Amino acid sequence: MAHYLYVLQSVSLNLCEHRMKMSMDPYSQEQRDLLQSLRQTAFELESEVPAGAFSTERRRSLCAKEFRKLGFMNNSNPAEDLRRAPPGLLALDNMVYFSRNTPNAYSRFILENSSREDKHECPFARSSIQLTLILCEILHIGEPCSETAQAFYPMFFGQDHFFEELFCICIQLVNKTWKEMRATQEDFDKVMQVVREQITRTLSLKPTSLELFKTRVNALNYSEILKLRQTERLHQEETLAVPVLELREKLKPELLELIRQQRLLHLCEGTLFRKISSRRRQDKLWYCRLSPNHKVLHYGDVEEGVQSPPIESLTEKIPVADMKMLLVGKECPHTKEKSSGKQNKDVLELAFSIVHDVEEYCLNFIAPTRYEFCLWTDGLNVLLGKEMTSERTQTDLDVLLSMELKLRLLDLENISIPDEPPPIPKPPSNLNFCYDFSHAEQ
């Protein structure tokens, strides 16, 4: 039965194999007409202009521009893009099928990307050619029939044009993944690698219909792919084994203490802050730093160009013992009066305040960068005896844990780590083998 299914599947792929091995004939009128139909379907309004309205040169220029919007590398002669076999004419067949059977999706794909001016446009033709090649490699189109193959896809037998229908699903997946990755032309190969992985992982689940395949492959978005890669990498490194997880927990307190020391050291070095006045002018600078004994915060105004003033020049100070709490974002008094807007939203993400003496008196900060915000809020939390809560803490902890674990497990390379500890042997029946020290004392 398995052999029979495989023969059916192989026979149904013969046409695809034939078209894959055929390259574009630049002198074939039929193939040129297919290319023109792609252009006319995508740009109907431009195509309705009478032929005599433009000169021959102007018309060629307009066609080249539209072929470039379609995503052809050689927009003056798009047939050259289809000379590579594989995927050969199979890529053209897929593009034409997509444009004729799902015209709305095709037009949306083209117009959505051809009208962009931010260098994030997804090239339809180039993506289609590469996607066709990927599908041929995944489905082993063009390879000889194998007697021992076990990869059968029953969903293909429910469609008259299964390969073209599969292409229609996957080319829309390319556009979706492209937007999720915020890709540019330089990221083309990375996007296609992710798409290959999405298709391969979904096919491994053996979906019984193309609808089910479509649902599952679209659910497997870029963020899910990243999570799966991370999990597999951790399993490969054996960092998810139970003994390793226990070792991670034992290492955490030591490494968190190291991070705390780094945060306090950064506060001792100090940071240059800008004052934001009610006129939204950043015209004054001030500097704040922690004393080496971690007991006093020194701060004061400084002149432009001063990078690291000595602690003696900072006339104002706050004893750490008088610090009551730390406020961030919208809780800060100097952000509550701000109106909404992009500039003020950025300020909210970098604002923090120290409440000291009485709750009405605060020292207000606007961090120059998100990095400084994380280090200062962590350091101030350490001084207040609280946990560090910034995203930078978790990032630094993950990096340190990964490095420390790799160093600890270096001697165990290529040795499998058991999930359970080895059993403790039973105690001996007697202890006569033990030396009796009482006789020696006599």
Side-chain angles (χ1 to χ4, degrees), residues 336-365:
K336 289 182 179 179
E337 299 177 358
K338 297 286 184 182
S339 59
S340 60
K342 183 180 185 301
Q343 180 182 359
N344 293 319
K345 183 180 178 182
D346 295 339
V347 169
L348 281 176
E349 293 179 351
L350 301 175
F352 61 97
S353 301
I354 300 173
V355 181
H356 60 99
D357 287 331
V358 291
E359 292 189 6
E360 289 77 15
Y361 191 77
C362 298
L363 181 62
N364 301 318
F365 298 76

Side-chain angles (χ1 to χ4, degrees), residues 37-228:
S37 72
L38 285 175
R39 182 183 64 83
Q40 291 167 359
T41 304
F43 308 103
E44 291 178 0
L45 295 177
E46 289 86 343
S47 302
E48 291 175 358
V49 178
F54 297 123
S55 64
T56 303
E57 190 65 30
R58 170 67 174 154
R59 194 159 54 251
R60 285 179 181 173
S61 175
L62 180 61
C63 288
K65 181 180 178 181
E66 290 177 349
F67 278 124
R68 179 181 60 78
K69 290 182 177 180
L70 279 172
F72 284 96
M73 302 287 285
N74 191 332
N75 50 61
S76 60
N77 185 14
E80 291 295 325
D81 287 20
L82 300 164
R83 296 292 296 274
R84 185 180 67 174
L89 287 178
L90 188 56
L92 179 60
D93 291 345
N94 286 334
M95 287 188 278
V96 172
Y97 185 91
F98 179 54
S99 67
R100 291 178 177 175
N101 289 271
T102 54
N104 292 334
Y106 172 70
S107 298
R108 186 165 57 250
F109 190 117
I110 301 302
L111 296 178
E112 180 182 292
N113 289 286
S114 62
S115 59
R116 300 188 67 161
E117 297 180 357
D118 55 2
K119 297 182 180 180
H120 288 280
E121 63 276 3
C122 178
F124 170 72
R126 185 184 176 192
S127 299
S128 298
I129 294 169
Q130 187 63 27
L131 175 62
T132 302
L133 180 60
I134 288 173
L135 291 176
C136 289
E137 291 174 351
I138 292 174
L139 300 175
H140 305 288
I141 297 175
E143 298 180 11
C145 179
S146 171
E147 294 287 341
T148 59
Q150 299 297 320
F152 309 120
Y153 304 106
M155 66 177 184
F156 288 152
F157 301 105
Q159 298 285 338
D160 291 334
H161 302 280
F162 71 88
F163 190 79
E164 291 86 348
E165 290 290 339
L166 179 65
F167 172 85
C168 291
I169 295 172
C170 294
I171 192 62
Q172 294 177 77
L173 174 70
V174 171
N175 191 35
K176 175 176 173 287
T177 304
W178 187 281
K179 289 187 288 188
E180 290 172 352
M181 296 177 65
R182 294 190 55 80
T184 61
Q185 296 294 326
E186 290 77 14
D187 303 317
F188 180 82
D189 291 335
K190 294 179 182 178
V191 174
M192 298 312 294
Q193 286 174 4
V194 173
V195 170
R196 177 192 287 270
E197 189 171 343
Q198 289 170 316
I199 297 170
T200 305
R201 288 181 182 274
T202 306
L203 285 176
S204 67
L205 301 174
K206 298 294 178 66
T208 54
S209 67
L210 277 177
E211 278 301 318
L212 188 56
F213 172 84
K214 180 179 180 180
T215 302
R216 289 182 174 178
V217 81
N218 283 305
L220 194 62
N221 54 33
Y222 179 55
S223 61
E224 288 296 321
I225 289 291
L226 291 180
K227 290 178 184 177
L228 288 170

Side-chain angles (χ1 to χ4, degrees), residues 366-381:
I366 300 292
T369 62
R370 186 67 187 177
Y371 175 76
E372 288 288 343
F373 173 85
C374 292
L375 265 59
W376 269 86
T377 53
D378 281 345
L380 293 172
N381 275 323

